[in-house]
Each structure stands twice: as C-alpha cells, then as structure tokens.
Amino acid sequence: LEVTLQSLSAGIPAGISEAGLQPTATSASSILSSTQLDPKNPWRDYLLVQKLLDSAIVPTKNNDLDAGYDLYAFDVVTIPAWGKALVSTQISVAVPPGTYGRIASRSGLSVKNDLEVGAGVIDRGYMGEIKVVLRNFSDTDYRVQRGDKIAQLILENCRQCPIKAVKNISDVVGRSTRGALGFGSSGK
C-alpha cells in the first residue's frame, strides 16, 4: 500500500490516515459507500488489504500476469488425511466495485499434495479476516507452516441486478436448444 499511496496524485480519501495508510473509524463505511463508485475516488481501482496483526503477510503475485494473489498461512496447522482445516491469514480485504473475491486452490498443492480449497467467496461487503478452508484428499496428514502459500485470491467480475419472478422463463427470453436438459446431457 505504500507504493499505492506514492502513485496516487488525487490525495488520500476521507477515512484514511496518511501514516501507514491505517484506516480510521469511518473508513469502512466511506470506502464501501456509493462514493467508491465515484471515479474521483483513488481507492476504487485497488484491492485494499489490512493486516490484522503486524506479522501477517500481504498477498503477492509472482508474475504481473498471474490471475491470483497468493494467500499466506498465519498459523501452523495439520490437516488430517481425508479431513479439512480452517487456516488463518490474519488479513482482511476490500475488493473493488463490481467484483468479488474468489479463493481458489493452488495448482501445485492440488497436484502434489491433493489439497483443495473448500468454501471460497469473499463478498464485497465482507471485511472480516480471510480464512481458508483446506481439504486434504490424501491418505497422509499435511502440515501447513506459517508463511506457506495456501491458496490464491482471484478478483472476479460480479453483476448485481434486481430479481424478477416470472411464470415461465421461456415465455420471456425464448426457448433454447438445451432447455431443461441437465447433467450429462451434452455428452461425455
């Protein structure tokens, strides 16, 4: 975030103090309010990350073109064989408008250790600690060390729209070739 501050020419938004970019008491409501949609708000194009403890690790990317930001374990946790564990990161985030955060598995952990992420949606309004559900699909326990890369956070577009109940969808949008054909209907 220090680099972020240096790159902003529009100044610091209300609710944020200059010293270390620490949020003030009003920052959560001002960042997520309609002012975040204001093109003059310099924070609208950033993934905001707050360390809940000083020793927490801010998400990183190995390469600029990577889709996900690596999330790091804060605690040492053993995930039992064929079991699951909740792994702390000691960070919270505010995702940009029009997005949500998706916590996804890391390919290396999946291929080499049969570890997969369980739940994984970070709603735009959620500002609590990010915790990662890791499931172990192997016959051996897996030990997560503090500082291990455990998952990746991907920002995905998310359209918000009102719901309209209708009697028959096909009457409104027309018929499709597939219709109500479900699982396995498109082949192997």
Side-chain angles (χ1 to χ4, degrees):
L1 285 178
E2 290 173 23
V3 174
T4 301
L5 177 61
Q6 293 169 359
S7 67
L8 296 175
S9 59
I12 299 171
I16 303 289
S17 69
E18 188 171 330
L21 293 178
Q22 295 302 311
T24 62
T26 60
S27 66
S29 61
S30 67
I31 291 295
L32 287 181
S33 71
S34 61
T35 61
Q36 192 179 19
L37 300 175
D38 180 354
K40 295 178 184 173
N41 182 342
W43 299 113
R44 64 174 277 121
D45 294 324
Y46 292 90
L47 170 64
L48 301 179
V49 178
Q50 177 184 348
K51 290 173 145 189
L52 301 176
L53 294 173
D54 287 339
S55 54
I57 302 171
V58 172
T60 62
K61 283 188 173 192
N62 277 342
N63 300 293
D64 290 341
L65 298 179
D66 288 351
Y69 298 86
D70 293 324
L71 295 174
Y72 295 87
F74 186 80
D75 297 321
V76 175
V77 178
T78 298
I79 306 168
W82 296 100
K84 66 181 176 185
L86 194 59
V87 183
S88 171
T89 65
Q90 287 299 321
I91 64 165
S92 62
V93 300
V95 300
T99 68
Y100 74 95
R102 181 171 63 89
I103 300 175
S105 299
R106 291 182 44 82
S107 59
L109 287 177
S110 294
V111 170
K112 297 174 186 173
N113 304 103
D114 291 321
L115 289 181
E116 299 290 339
V117 167
V121 171
I122 303 170
D123 293 312
R124 189 166 157 256
Y126 177 70
M127 298 181 103
E129 181 189 358
I130 303 303
K131 294 185 179 183
V132 178
V133 177
L134 283 180
R135 296 181 180 274
N136 183 351
F137 290 101
S138 76
D139 293 326
T140 56
D141 293 352
Y142 184 86
R143 190 163 174 90
V144 175
Q145 299 294 333
R146 188 177 189 295
D148 283 356
K149 294 177 181 180
I150 53 170
Q152 54 185 322
L153 170 60
I154 299 171
L155 297 178
E156 295 194 355
N157 291 327
C158 180
R159 183 172 175 194
Q160 299 293 329
C161 56
I163 295 174
K164 174 70 177 165
V166 297
K167 287 186 178 184
N168 187 317
I169 292 174
S170 296
D171 290 345
V172 177
V173 298
R175 302 227 180 264
S176 72
T177 314
R178 184 171 183 178
L181 298 175
F183 299 107
S185 64
S186 61
K188 292 184 182 181

